[in-house]
Amino acid sequence: MGHSMDLIKPLITLMAIVNPLAIVPFFIHYTQGYSDRMRERTARVAAFSAFVVIAVSALIGLQLLSFFGISIASFQVGGGMLLLMSALNMLNAQPAEAKTSQEEIRATEVKASLGASIAVVPLTIPLLTGPATMSTMVIYAEKVQHWWQMLVLVGYGAVIALATLLALLMAEPIARVLGKTGINVMTRLMGLILAALAVEVMADGLGKLFPVLARAVP
């Protein structure tokens, strides 16, 4: 397990959780009455907001933890559970972060029909980036040893934002090509990857909290 491996994991985890493809049907649904320009603007704002959430979580997440006196080990166990719950959502073909109730969805539809921006809520938060995304960034930020590694983490935010932007701008063709089934299959696959990563994060945290467990593993 070299550093190169560790650096690639945050990107895989982020890609799995944010999973822009799963948002495509929501995006199409919410932006039905939009002009092309409005739709493009919504996609841009959503992608940029996703970048901001990821970057901010990476940069100040640890400070927040120490402010509240939470140990990173406890956070890894808690965050890992959160990731696992997201993974289970995804295995049921639900978006990882979505906990939106029918009322919220209806409220959003009203908002969309009034021309208000849906880019930040609910597209970016909670559909694209929510608690699981933020936890991921904090957990990986703790492993940063050099400033350039932090730069890489923030850079991943930009990569995810770009992927999101492309997915949203090409929402119609993606939905046509993949269809509901294709998007569900992709979501389930991402959920499986995320479940494995979540268990790893939890195991790491449990090993720190209970050194006996860490010693037991060869």
Side-chain angles (χ1 to χ4, degrees), residues 12 30 44-45 57 59-60 63 65-67 82 86 103 117 119 136 140 157 179 188:
I12 297 168
Y30 287 146
R44 286 216 168 110
V45 175
S57 307
L59 293 168
I60 66 163
Q63 281 82 333
L65 282 193
S66 59
F67 175 76
L82 199 57
S86 297
E103 289 79 38
S117 173
T136 302
Y140 285 113
R188 288 197 165 104

Side-chain angles (χ1 to χ4, degrees), residues 155-183:
Y156 286 162
V159 172
I160 298 295
L162 201 61
T164 302
L165 184 62
L166 287 175
L168 297 184
L169 289 180
M170 294 171 61
E172 300 278 355
I174 287 173
R176 266 202 307 275
V177 173
L178 284 178
K180 187 97 183 84
T181 317
I183 288 175

Side-chain angles (χ1 to χ4, degrees), residues 37-75:
R37 240 184 77 207
M38 269 174 79
R39 189 172 286 173
E40 197 176 305
R41 192 174 153 264
T42 303
R44 286 216 168 110
V45 175
F48 180 70
S49 312
F51 166 72
V52 171
V53 171
I54 292 170
V56 168
S57 307
L59 293 168
I60 66 163
L62 285 174
Q63 281 82 333
L64 281 179
L65 282 193
S66 59
F67 175 76
F68 289 113
I70 302 166
S71 79
I72 190 72
S74 316
F75 192 77

Side-chain angles (χ1 to χ4, degrees), residues 21-156:
L21 288 180
I23 310 303
V24 164
F26 287 89
F27 182 73
I28 291 172
H29 176 72
Y30 287 146
T31 58
Q32 266 163 3
Y34 283 28
S35 65
D36 284 350
R37 240 184 77 207
M38 269 174 79
R39 189 172 286 173
E40 197 176 305
R41 192 174 153 264
T42 303
R44 286 216 168 110
V45 175
F48 180 70
S49 312
F51 166 72
V52 171
V53 171
I54 292 170
V56 168
S57 307
L59 293 168
I60 66 163
L62 285 174
Q63 281 82 333
L64 281 179
L65 282 193
S66 59
F67 175 76
F68 289 113
I70 302 166
S71 79
I72 190 72
S74 316
F75 192 77
Q76 279 177 314
V77 177
M81 280 179 166
L82 199 57
L83 294 186
L84 200 51
M85 280 157 64
S86 297
L88 294 176
N89 275 350
M90 293 170 81
L91 289 169
N92 291 325
Q94 306 289 324
E97 300 278 20
K99 274 280 177 276
T100 35
S101 63
Q102 288 308 112
E103 289 79 38
E104 281 179 272
I105 287 175
R106 270 196 292 276
T108 305
E109 281 164 11
V110 171
K111 202 171 153 188
S113 66
L114 294 173
S117 173
I118 56 152
V120 179
V121 179
L123 271 184
T124 306
I125 302 166
L127 288 175
L128 282 166
T129 55
T133 313
M134 296 172 198
S135 305
T136 302
M137 292 320 287
V138 176
I139 288 164
Y140 285 113
E142 191 264 339
K143 298 187 183 309
V144 166
Q145 284 159 350
H146 305 286
W147 61 268
W148 61 266
Q149 289 177 333
M150 182 54 89
L151 214 57
V152 169
L153 277 187
V154 172
Y156 286 162

